[in-house]
Amino acid sequence: MAQASQEFGEWPLKRLMTDVVGSGPKSADDMSCEQAREAFQRILAGEPDATTLGAFWLANRWKRNNPEELAGYTDVMREESVVTAEPEADPVDCGANYDGKHSSAVLGVGAGLVAAAAGTPVVVHSGDRIPTQKATAYKHVLDELGIRTDLEPEESANMVDETGFGFYYQPAFNPGVHDLYDRRDQMGVRTFVNTIETVGNPANADVHLGSFYHLAFAKKLTDLIRESDHLDYSRAIFFQGMEGYDDIRPGYTKVAEWNDGAELEDYEIETAEYGMEMENEDLEVDDVTADSATITEAVLAGERDDHFVDAIALNGAFRMYAREDVDSLEDGLEQARDVIADGSAEAVLEDLRAF
């Protein structure tokens, strides 16, 4: 992690505000990668005044970061904050928006357990009530299910290898970003940190599955991966998930798929094509944390026959497809339903509780 006593270059945040990014959303200039790198090094070191830091974050939000800037921020995060622990398995890295969901069930836990039972290892990561939404994320559903989440990175890697599913906890694997919590909370709006933390990749996975509110951002994120010196993904899939999370929407979902050396491709997933006639409100719940856990348990135990079963199976299949363990979503769906029916997915849940 960066130290407050370290030496920097010629670009304190105040100068970047004055000379580059701070003149407003229409007239601001983009930073070079080196300027972005120095900015985030200073931020992680706690060097900027709180007012200057807030202004810098807001100026970045107004002008919108380009992939080169985001890659610079990401590489500094990977160099100076992220502690990696690589399991022997090569999991799918699921980097949902850390600030969570307010109204619909978190399906990624159940989907990840289904995928793990079918032979596709899965890694998820989150913090705890991250600004700005401070809503339900992976950690909270796992806690409700009685699964340990306060894990050091090596424990998380062992969890993957022992069960097929692993959770990495942000304060343990990304402490520099975690230390920014209070400042982010005072901002009241999302910052570029909300973007880069989702690609922290603590397991050094080869495949990333991510979700954002707007499809155009998928192109920016795949360009970030190309520009980065420290993200070694060879494949990434981004899609417009429910509430920006990594859950496929009922009805229509736009998907952007990228493979190293190839152009970005986009396509649509229509849940009706898989015999799933459901709407967003069909997956809404009253208590996102408690209800997500209860639904996950019941689906894996074979005690439900409703839209949640379909949604968890489809999202599990999508994780298998992301890692290219199946040739199509149809093949993945068949496997997902099989491991739910024969109890294999429920067994992964029990293994996690025993870990």
Side-chain angles (χ1 to χ4, degrees), residues 141-190:
V141 179
L142 292 166
D143 285 342
E144 192 76 13
L145 286 167
I147 296 166
R148 288 180 60 209
T149 58
D150 190 2
L151 301 165
E152 292 301 314
E154 286 294 338
E155 293 179 294
S156 300
N158 290 338
M159 177 184 277
V160 181
D161 286 329
E162 289 189 22
T163 71
F165 180 98
F167 174 75
Y168 286 71
Y169 187 32
Q170 186 183 57
F173 83 83
N174 200 352
V177 165
H178 175 67
D179 288 346
L180 297 173
Y181 183 97
D182 289 340
R183 295 263 54 86
R184 295 170 68 185
D185 194 22
Q186 291 299 317
M187 282 295 296
V189 295
R190 290 167 63 88

Side-chain angles (χ1 to χ4, degrees), residues 200-213:
N201 195 16
N204 286 333
D206 187 53
V207 176
H208 177 74
L209 182 68
S211 173
F212 289 91
Y213 291 97

Side-chain angles (χ1 to χ4, degrees), residues 207-222 235-242 245-259 263-271 273-274 314-315 317-319 321-323 329:
V207 176
H208 177 74
L209 182 68
S211 173
F212 289 91
Y213 291 97
H214 306 293
L215 178 67
F217 210 72
K219 177 68 164 69
K220 186 176 290 188
L221 266 291
T222 54
R235 177 170 165 82
I237 299 180
F238 296 96
F239 60 97
Q240 292 175 300
M242 293 189 70
Y245 221 69
D246 57 1
D247 299 324
I248 294 169
R249 299 179 182 190
Y252 169 91
T253 297
K254 192 75 171 177
V255 181
E257 183 174 319
W258 171 83
N259 291 281
E263 293 299 315
L264 186 71
E265 297 181 2
D266 63 85
Y267 53 91
E268 297 81 35
I269 293 175
E270 293 273 5
T271 53
E273 294 181 3
Y274 302 95
L314 182 62
N315 280 280
F318 201 51
R319 282 145 177 77
Y321 173 79
R323 192 172 177 267
L329 274 179

